[in-house]
Amino acid sequence: MGFSQVVGISGLIIILLASLSMIFITTDHNFEKVMNSQNEHYDNIIIKNHEKILINSAKIDLGDSNNLIVNITNTGNTVIEIEKLSVLKNGIYYTVNISSGYIAPKESEKITIYDIKANIADKLSIVSEHGYMDSATIS
């Protein structure tokens, strides 16, 4: 074996090792991303299992008929951020402004949903941040 063959084989081995290290780094990075997303998914499931809301009443605001006054009780074990609640009226999602604040576990809060034109007997659903939903009829 001559000098040029040794240099050529050494070069091929170096290229092979560099390629294998890049494959390892990429695989390790992607595996870490998958494991992190699974952990986040499991955390969301745990939070969802502890998150429960109950709509006690839903009434049209007497001062402004475009607003609703909703009394919600947090019957779960986690604090609910009011701004992260979503509103469905008769099964249709509405982008609305909701008063801000938090509802502690086992506490009730009267919240105002602004800019939603509702009628008596409409069905109102409130969905929490992690997907728990409760429905009531507007009175």
Side-chain angles (χ1 to χ4, degrees), residues 6-62:
V6 171
V7 170
I9 291 174
S10 298
L12 286 174
I13 291 173
I14 290 172
I15 291 171
L16 177 67
L17 291 174
S19 298
L20 289 175
S21 68
M22 290 303 296
I23 290 171
F24 175 76
I25 290 170
T26 304
T27 304
D28 184 54
H29 179 69
N30 289 335
F31 182 73
E32 185 179 335
K33 283 176 134 180
V34 168
M35 293 306 294
N36 287 341
S37 65
Q38 280 184 334
N39 289 338
E40 287 177 18
H41 175 69
Y42 294 141
D43 290 343
N44 282 336
I45 288 173
I46 289 169
I47 291 171
K48 183 178 179 179
N49 286 338
H50 294 287
E51 185 177 67
K52 292 182 177 62
I53 56 174
L54 174 68
I55 299 175
N56 300 322
S57 66
K59 298 181 180 183
I60 298 172
D61 187 358
L62 297 176

Side-chain angles (χ1 to χ4, degrees), residues 94-106:
Y94 282 86
T95 304
V96 295
N97 297 319
I98 300 178
S99 56
S100 62
Y102 299 92
I103 307 174
K106 311 301 180 216

Side-chain angles (χ1 to χ4, degrees), residues 64-111:
D64 187 351
S65 61
N66 288 333
N67 300 337
L68 287 176
I69 305 293
V70 182
N71 189 350
I72 296 177
T73 301
N74 180 356
T75 57
N77 297 329
T78 60
V79 175
I80 294 175
E81 190 173 348
I82 294 173
E83 292 175 339
K84 294 188 177 178
L85 296 173
S86 298
V87 177
L88 296 150
K89 185 182 82 169
N90 295 328
I92 300 169
Y93 176 78
Y94 282 86
T95 304
V96 295
N97 297 319
I98 300 178
S99 56
S100 62
Y102 299 92
I103 307 174
K106 311 301 180 216
E107 296 286 323
S108 294
E109 187 73 31
K110 195 175 282 190
I111 63 170

Side-chain angles (χ1 to χ4, degrees), residues 106-122:
K106 311 301 180 216
E107 296 286 323
S108 294
E109 187 73 31
K110 195 175 282 190
I111 63 170
T112 303
I113 303 173
Y114 300 101
D115 305 324
I116 184 168
K117 184 81 172 151
N119 299 314
I120 293 177
D122 282 348

